[in-house]
Amino acid sequence: MTNFIYDVLLDLQKSDTNLSQLTFVLPSKRAGVFLRHQLSKVNNRTIFAPKIISIEAFVEELAQIKTISNTELLFEFYSIYSNLTNPGSTDNFDTFSKWAQILLQDFNEIDRYLIPQKQIFDYLSAIQDINHWSVAEPKTEFVANYLIFWNKLHQYYDALKDHLLNQKKGYQGLIYREAVENLGSYIHNNPEKQHVFLGFNALNTAEETIIQELLQHGLAKIYWDIDAHFMKNSEHDAALFTRHHKVHWPYFKSHPFHWITDNYLKKKHISVYGIPKNIGQAKCIGSILKNIKQDTGTLQKTAVVLGDENLLIPVLNSLPQQIDALNITMGFPLKSIPLASLFEELFTLHKHTKNPFYFKDVINIVSHQFVRPLFIINDIDYAALIIETIERNNLIYLTSERLKEIAQTHTNTIIDVLFSNWKGSISNVLQNCTQLILLIKKYLSLKKASNVLALEYLFRFNELFNEITLLNIRYKHIKNLTTLYTIYKELLSSETLDFQGEPLQGLQIMGMLESRVLDFETVIISSVNEGVLPSGKSNNSFIPFDVKIENNLPTYKEKDAVYTYHFYRLLQRAKNVYILYNTEADVLTGGEKSRFIRQLELENIHDLHHQIITPQVPIIDNAPNIIYKTNGLHLELKEVASKGFSPSSLTNYIRNPIGFYYQKILKIKEHDDVEETVAANTLGTVVHNTLEDFYKPIIDSYLSIDAIKNMKLQIDKRVTYHFKAIYKEGDITKGKNLIIFEIAKRYISNFLDSEIASLHAGNTIKIIGIELENTVAIDIPELDYTVKLTGKIDRVDEFNGVTRIIDYKSGRVNQGDVELVHWEDITTDYKKHSKSFQVLMYAYMMSLSNDIKLPVEAGIISFKNLNSGFLKFAKKESPKSHKKESLITQDTLNRFTQELKRLIMEICNLNIPFEEKNIT
């Protein structure tokens, strides 16, 4: 396989050039590593290494100015802006940063392309003046301020430029402009210094000027990397810039143009894969690499080029285990590190919330993987204690003082860092962040060997907050937490954690720009979608399209041509090419394959193998979960039977045997989450407990209207008491909870009104029992152990001489829900007959314990259906029959007992497994 860098070095050697005395200027630092490697292949003797430098470093050397970071530049610009703007019209830093970054990009472009500043700024100001009807009077304050802003652009630019130059600092464009200014002096001071420029394509005006001057003075050579196929086709954007340079540079009128190669038309194997979703592309890349490794035994000449660099982490997680050497040119984004989520939680909490704090935010922070260990003191997990207290007491909002109270002052320091000191000065907030990092470092350092990577994370975040602290001390522009969060996010998005690796060995994973000048035998390019490669139209600029055209500034057309060149240059010398694109629309991108793929198809030069790949989705057998009973499980069932089967546990088995197994055998309880809104079961418990308070003092007494009226006077007090006892510290004074609180009082009030109405109608009601707990043993000859039944009956009374067994329901129940046609259905159809099963079991238990005399009535009082009164259990002859029997006799209980015992025997039978039901 031919190699561009090697060919350049070979050409220089053939012309008897002393490589040691050359200065190689390349598009990137990475290309310099490969150039240094190729030097050893060209030379068969020891030489001094030549100077190898990137174009940015070379220009910086010419200008004698150091590059300023984007964030520091933003702070410097705000100082300039504040000094030049009336105090009453000055935007705060947060607002300023949103438009200033765009303006600084425009300043950068204007300088890189050496545009006369006054000319373009005056032009922009005049355009805005026309757009806002300068002749119209009077102007609104908004329009007037807007025009003032545009008129001041030149003033802003000049002041920023002078300020930066005085400090010997500059952004990229300013450095380029100064480099051109200093070029004559550089040539005069280095009359013998030879430069070699190689691998360039799109050059800005400043770069063109510098290179052409050096060429004209005989101080440079330049090697282009372009294929003849692209040069001959005037419509092909891969050679858009190179054609321009060849035609318009005076140097090439009398000197040869190096090089136009002939590699693209050589035979290539190109496979195009359409794959749904980005994760599908990552998995496919892993599969391709695995096949290459198996077929060739090496990935030394293979590169994965990520069109979308967000694919880096999925691709790394999809690499086959066979890969033993790997080099990654992109850094691991700091925003993807777990520690970033902690600071995101903290900033979000304090930016949007005033003390007290929402319980979910508190739980998220104290349970974070980097914070949880800090709450473990003397083997006591105070984070777990905080979480348990929140859930047990139903705490929706907490103060830092309450957190300290829960943790018994043992974790005051970490609680202060996380929750207390965020409302003061910005310096306090930054100090908190730094202190948090130091606390985590102290813990991780105890087990340094197992926490090397985590310590590296901490180091990078410590650097980030140190930078923000220095900016805050120097400029004092950060006035509030929102601004601090904006700066933090800006720095976080641009910071990376560099991978360690051998840059010249094994598989190479890189972004599109890192591929400049480099050649690989096998290339895998991902995300070749319209809107990604190329990126498409974007107008992140204050300079209109027509003004850019007039001043020869790059537009989306030129930006697309840059990507076109990089894409086709990767293909030039490659033998095997895999092009992947996303077939599914992801938010704003994806779904449409790139024009580059369509161009390859239309050219019809290479044989393209186009496939649409779908992931292999295994067929998951939805077989029911079956638990076979063992001797050990049989012992557990004996224990359950000896303690007693309750109506709810038996109906739970009817509903789903697996649910019974989890609850009664494995003893898995449902997790009690914090109730932000009062749950239905809490409402029901409050209503039950309040009625228990009212009726227990009058057991064995007949109800009177006066007694019920006295109960009504206590409703508010008792309901409030029980809500506080059950809902703990949950707030019932507002929102939905206040509504539910009032509903509970209304339920009880309406029920007592119905009791009064019944008494007015001449009925007599005697209370026999309230919340009766009952446990009885039953005889099942087929089982060699005791079986008990247990339950709590809400109310037993005597209504006009007839005993009633009553179960309260806070939900809605209708008469049809307590009616039965076929006895065998009562243990098979949970949805229709669970309530009948429950009240019949209560009647059966009370009959066995001789607490009642048959016949009796049993049924439901539904607080959502009080108008229907007491809903009695009834046995019907047929579904459509109007004849039904509501009195429960011994015969009724005998029939129920048969079904009950059959159900218990099924539960205890070792040959019948617990089999999951399909619950709908």
Side-chain angles (χ1 to χ4, degrees):
M1 186 190 90
T2 58
N3 182 298
F4 172 67
I5 294 176
Y6 180 82
D7 290 344
V8 168
L9 293 174
L10 209 59
D11 185 73
L12 290 170
Q13 192 180 57
K14 286 178 182 177
S15 61
D16 292 328
T17 303
N18 187 343
L19 298 180
S20 299
Q21 295 180 358
L22 294 178
T23 296
F24 287 92
V25 185
L26 298 107
S28 66
K29 288 182 181 179
R30 176 164 182 75
V33 175
F34 280 79
L35 174 62
R36 196 173 286 111
H37 175 65
Q38 293 295 332
L39 277 169
S40 63
K41 295 185 177 181
V42 171
N43 287 280
N44 51 14
R45 59 189 178 86
T46 303
I47 63 168
F48 285 103
K51 183 176 182 179
I52 302 172
I53 192 170
S54 69
I55 184 66
E56 286 84 4
F58 178 63
V59 171
E60 193 174 294
E61 185 181 304
L62 282 177
Q64 294 296 299
I65 295 175
K66 291 294 181 184
T67 302
I68 189 172
S69 71
N70 289 335
T71 308
E72 187 179 354
L73 176 62
L74 198 62
F75 276 79
E76 291 281 11
F77 188 26
Y78 189 67
S79 298
I80 300 297
Y81 163 76
S82 300
N83 292 334
L84 296 177
T85 309
N86 293 329
S89 305
T90 308
D91 288 339
N92 60 45
F93 187 84
D94 197 38
T95 304
F96 163 84
S97 64
K98 291 176 173 60
W99 59 260
Q101 295 191 61
I102 299 173
L103 188 58
L104 287 171
Q105 288 176 23
D106 287 339
F107 287 174
N108 192 50
E109 288 289 273
I110 289 167
D111 283 333
R112 289 170 69 232
Y113 284 83
L114 305 179
I115 308 299
Q117 305 97 319
K118 190 173 189 311
Q119 171 188 322
I120 194 166
F121 289 130
D122 288 347
Y123 195 179
L124 290 173
S125 178
I127 289 172
Q128 297 302 323
D129 208 19
I130 292 169
N131 287 345
H132 289 85
W133 314 287
S134 58
V135 294
E137 295 292 345
K139 293 184 178 70
T140 65
E141 183 182 355
F142 176 81
V143 170
N145 289 335
Y146 190 76
L147 294 175
I148 289 170
F149 166 78
W150 283 98
N151 289 327
K152 279 191 172 182
L153 285 185
H154 192 203
Q155 196 177 349
Y156 292 150
Y157 171 85
D158 284 341
L160 179 62
K161 181 189 75 171
D162 294 341
H163 178 72
L164 291 175
L165 290 178
N166 286 336
Q167 299 184 58
K168 292 291 183 183
K169 293 179 180 177
Y171 52 87
Q172 188 191 60
L174 184 58
I175 293 172
Y176 271 86
R177 192 184 281 274
E178 287 299 303
V180 172
E181 293 288 331
N182 294 344
L183 185 58
S185 174
Y186 177 82
I187 291 173
H188 181 266
N189 294 330
N190 299 278
E192 304 297 328
K193 194 171 186 178
Q194 289 295 315
H195 306 78
V196 177
F197 295 86
L198 64 154
F200 289 93
N201 173 46
L203 298 170
N204 57 54
T205 307
E207 289 169 336
E208 285 194 50
T209 303
I210 291 167
I211 295 172
Q212 286 193 73
E213 281 296 308
L214 291 172
L215 288 172
Q216 293 291 0
H217 284 82
L219 300 178
K221 287 185 178 181
I222 185 163
Y223 289 88
W224 308 98
D225 186 14
I226 194 69
D227 196 274
H229 175 74
F230 308 136
M231 287 294 284
K232 291 173 185 176
N233 185 350
S234 61
E235 299 297 321
H236 206 299
D237 280 353
L240 177 71
F241 300 104
T242 321
R243 283 194 298 268
H244 169 84
H245 302 326
K246 187 174 187 298
V247 172
H248 293 95
W249 283 21
Y251 178 80
F252 295 122
K253 297 190 187 314
S254 55
H255 293 83
F257 187 89
H258 292 303
W259 277 325
I260 299 174
T261 60
D262 191 15
N263 294 304
Y264 181 69
L265 297 180
K266 292 178 181 177
K267 185 178 180 182
K268 304 177 190 304
H269 300 284
I270 301 179
S271 299
V272 180
Y273 297 138
I275 308 163
K277 300 294 182 183
N278 285 334
I279 192 68
Q281 292 185 76
K283 296 297 182 185
C284 184
I285 288 170
S287 178
I288 292 169
L289 291 171
K290 183 178 180 180
N291 293 336
I292 294 171
K293 178 73 173 176
Q294 288 175 349
D295 293 343
T296 64
T298 180
L299 296 172
Q300 184 66 36
K301 297 179 181 179
T302 301
V304 175
V305 181
L306 304 179
D308 179 1
E309 296 190 3
N310 290 321
L311 270 181
L312 175 61
I313 306 306
V315 167
L316 291 179
N317 287 322
S318 303
L319 294 177
Q321 293 182 350
Q322 294 92 330
I323 294 178
D324 49 3
L326 175 68
N327 184 58
I328 306 164
T329 65
M330 299 169 286
F332 188 84
L334 276 194
K335 62 184 179 182
S336 300
I337 287 172
L339 193 59
S341 64
L342 171 58
F343 287 104
E344 182 73 24
E345 293 271 6
L346 283 170
F347 277 113
T348 302
L349 173 70
H350 293 289
K351 187 162 64 84
H352 296 299
T353 308
K354 294 181 179 179
N355 212 341
F357 306 110
Y358 184 48
F359 79 98
K360 285 186 178 178
D361 294 330
V362 173
I363 290 174
N364 286 343
I365 290 170
V366 301
S367 59
H368 192 278
Q369 66 187 81
F370 280 100
V371 172
R372 187 72 177 260
L374 306 182
F375 279 91
I376 300 174
I377 299 172
N378 297 327
D379 296 327
I380 299 174
D381 188 346
Y382 287 100
L385 181 61
I386 288 171
I387 295 168
E388 287 167 10
T389 306
I390 288 172
E391 292 173 347
R392 186 174 61 250
N393 292 341
N394 229 67
L395 290 167
I396 309 300
Y397 292 98
L398 301 92
T399 62
S400 54
E401 289 74 20
R402 184 65 197 279
L403 288 168
K404 290 178 183 177
E405 180 187 320
I406 295 169
Q408 305 165 9
T409 72
H410 293 289
T411 57
N412 281 6
T413 301
I414 184 62
I415 289 174
D416 280 337
V417 168
L418 294 171
F419 300 105
S420 299
N421 303 322
W422 285 71
K423 298 303 177 186
S425 66
I426 294 301
S427 59
N428 283 349
V429 174
L430 291 169
Q431 188 176 352
N432 274 358
C433 294
T434 304
Q435 190 177 355
L436 177 59
I437 289 171
L438 292 175
L439 288 170
I440 297 171
K441 175 182 177 290
K442 183 179 178 181
Y443 166 77
L444 294 178
S445 297
L446 298 175
K447 299 177 181 178
K448 187 175 180 179
S450 59
N451 292 313
V452 174
L453 189 57
L455 286 166
E456 187 69 30
Y457 295 162
L458 280 175
F459 175 74
R460 294 295 286 115
F461 272 86
N462 191 51
E463 281 188 326
L464 186 147
F465 281 109
N466 282 344
E467 183 176 351
I468 297 175
T469 302
L470 290 173
L471 290 170
N472 185 51
I473 293 170
R474 187 183 305 167
Y475 298 100
K476 302 190 184 303
H477 295 329
I478 307 176
K479 303 295 184 185
N480 54 56
L481 201 56
T482 301
T483 303
L484 175 60
Y485 179 67
T486 301
I487 300 303
Y488 164 77
K489 292 290 282 185
E490 176 69 24
L491 284 171
L492 189 68
S493 64
S494 59
E495 294 291 328
T496 57
L497 187 66
D498 293 333
F499 289 96
Q500 292 183 349
E502 181 54 55
L504 300 170
Q505 289 185 6
L507 174 68
Q508 303 287 324
I509 299 180
M510 61 184 66
M512 186 61 79
L513 291 179
E514 282 87 18
S515 70
R516 289 176 293 183
V517 190
L518 309 181
D519 296 297
F520 300 96
E521 190 172 289
T522 301
V523 179
I524 304 168
I525 311 175
S526 74
S527 303
V528 188
N529 283 88
E530 203 63 27
V532 181
L533 283 177
S535 58
K537 294 182 181 180
S538 60
N539 189 31
N540 199 20
S541 170
F542 285 124
I543 305 173
F545 183 81
D546 55 334
V547 178
K548 287 191 173 188
I549 294 291
E550 184 176 335
N551 288 275
N552 294 319
L553 287 170
T555 63
Y556 67 85
K557 162 76 172 170
E558 285 71 32
K559 290 176 182 176
D560 283 359
V562 170
Y563 281 101
T564 307
Y565 172 79
H566 292 320
F567 178 80
Y568 279 96
R569 209 207 69 78
L570 278 168
L571 270 58
Q572 277 180 204
R573 297 176 180 83
K575 293 181 180 178
N576 304 298
V577 180
Y578 300 88
I579 299 172
L580 282 61
Y581 68 93
N582 183 5
T583 58
E584 300 291 324
D586 286 330
V587 191
L588 299 177
T589 60
E592 183 181 356
K593 61 184 177 183
S594 172
R595 69 191 75 168
F596 297 158
I597 298 175
R598 298 189 184 279
Q599 196 168 0
L600 287 170
E601 291 170 342
L602 290 170
E603 285 177 347
N604 202 26
I605 296 170
H606 304 289
D607 186 17
L608 265 66
H609 301 279
H610 196 158
Q611 299 179 54
I612 300 296
I613 296 178
T614 55
Q616 289 183 347
V617 180
I619 298 173
I620 299 173
D621 185 12
N622 288 324
N625 189 9
I626 299 175
I627 306 296
Y628 293 98
K629 295 171 184 173
T630 62
N631 290 330
L633 197 151
H634 188 54
L635 292 175
E636 292 288 342
L637 284 170
K638 279 185 179 182
E639 185 180 343
V640 172
S642 66
K643 289 181 179 179
F645 291 107
S646 66
S648 60
S649 66
L650 292 174
T651 53
N652 187 25
Y653 179 86
I654 295 168
R655 178 177 178 269
N656 190 3
I658 288 293
F660 175 90
Y661 170 75
Y662 289 153
Q663 184 185 66
K664 304 302 290 186
I665 306 301
L666 298 184
K667 297 177 176 59
I668 297 174
K669 296 181 180 179
E670 288 188 11
H671 182 68
D672 292 329
D673 288 325
V674 174
E675 291 179 36
E676 293 182 65
T677 302
V678 177
N681 61 338
T682 300
L683 170 64
T685 304
V686 168
V687 172
H688 276 67
N689 291 353
T690 303
L691 291 175
E692 181 182 1
D693 288 351
F694 289 163
Y695 284 92
K696 259 200 171 174
I698 57 172
I699 290 175
D700 292 330
S701 302
Y702 284 94
L703 276 182
S704 68
I705 293 173
D706 289 340
I708 297 174
K709 286 182 177 178
N710 186 49
M711 293 175 190
K712 292 192 68 173
L713 297 175
Q714 302 177 56
I715 289 176
D716 187 83
K717 179 182 176 182
R718 298 316 298 169
V719 169
T720 303
Y721 170 81
H722 286 296
F723 260 116
K724 286 184 177 178
I726 298 165
Y727 198 51
K728 304 294 184 183
E729 297 179 53
D731 188 1
I732 57 170
T733 62
K734 57 189 176 186
K736 288 183 180 179
N737 287 348
L738 177 58
I739 295 172
I740 295 169
F741 173 71
E742 294 297 330
I743 287 171
K745 293 196 296 183
R746 180 64 60 87
Y747 276 174
I748 295 165
S749 178
N750 289 347
F751 174 70
L752 295 178
D753 286 342
S754 71
E755 296 272 71
I756 291 172
S758 183
L759 293 175
H760 272 306
N763 297 307
T764 59
I765 303 174
K766 181 181 179 181
I767 302 299
I768 297 173
I770 296 293
E771 299 295 331
L772 291 173
E773 292 189 4
N774 198 354
T775 301
V776 295
I778 61 172
D779 179 37
I780 303 179
E782 291 84 354
L783 300 177
D784 59 353
Y785 49 84
T786 303
V787 175
K788 291 181 181 178
L789 304 178
T790 183
K792 182 186 278 190
I793 303 160
D794 292 338
R795 169 169 161 172
V796 180
D797 66 15
E798 191 178 280
F799 187 83
N800 294 336
V802 178
T803 301
R804 299 190 305 180
I805 298 169
I806 300 171
D807 191 60
Y808 297 137
K809 298 293 183 187
S810 57
R812 185 174 187 86
V813 180
N814 297 312
Q815 180 61 49
D817 297 325
V818 285
E819 292 179 348
L820 178 68
V821 177
H822 305 292
W823 278 108
E824 57 270 21
D825 292 343
I826 201 167
T827 56
T828 57
D829 194 333
Y830 168 85
K831 197 169 184 180
K832 287 185 179 179
H833 301 306
S834 60
K835 295 174 181 62
S836 297
F837 183 95
Q838 185 175 8
V839 295
L840 284 173
M841 186 164 165
Y842 287 150
Y844 176 58
M845 291 165 61
M846 293 195 74
S847 175
L848 283 181
S849 59
N850 296 316
D851 291 330
I852 58 170
K853 290 183 179 179
L854 300 175
V856 298
E857 293 178 340
I860 305 288
I861 289 180
S862 167
F863 291 103
K864 271 194 176 180
N865 189 18
L866 273 177
N867 290 336
S868 297
F870 177 54
L871 305 171
K872 305 174 187 177
F873 164 78
K875 175 67 176 68
K876 299 171 68 175
E877 295 298 325
S878 66
K880 295 183 179 180
S881 172
H882 295 290
K883 184 180 179 181
K884 51 190 177 184
E885 179 57 54
S886 58
L887 278 176
I888 298 173
T889 63
Q890 187 60 54
D891 182 58
T892 308
L893 292 182
N894 289 341
R895 294 301 304 273
F896 171 73
T897 305
Q898 290 177 15
E899 299 302 323
L900 174 65
K901 290 184 177 181
R902 186 191 60 76
L903 178 66
I904 293 172
M905 286 170 58
E906 179 183 314
I907 293 172
C908 298
N909 189 336
L910 281 177
N911 297 319
I912 300 177
F914 292 115
E915 186 168 351
E916 186 174 19
K917 286 185 181 178
N918 184 20
I919 302 171
T920 56

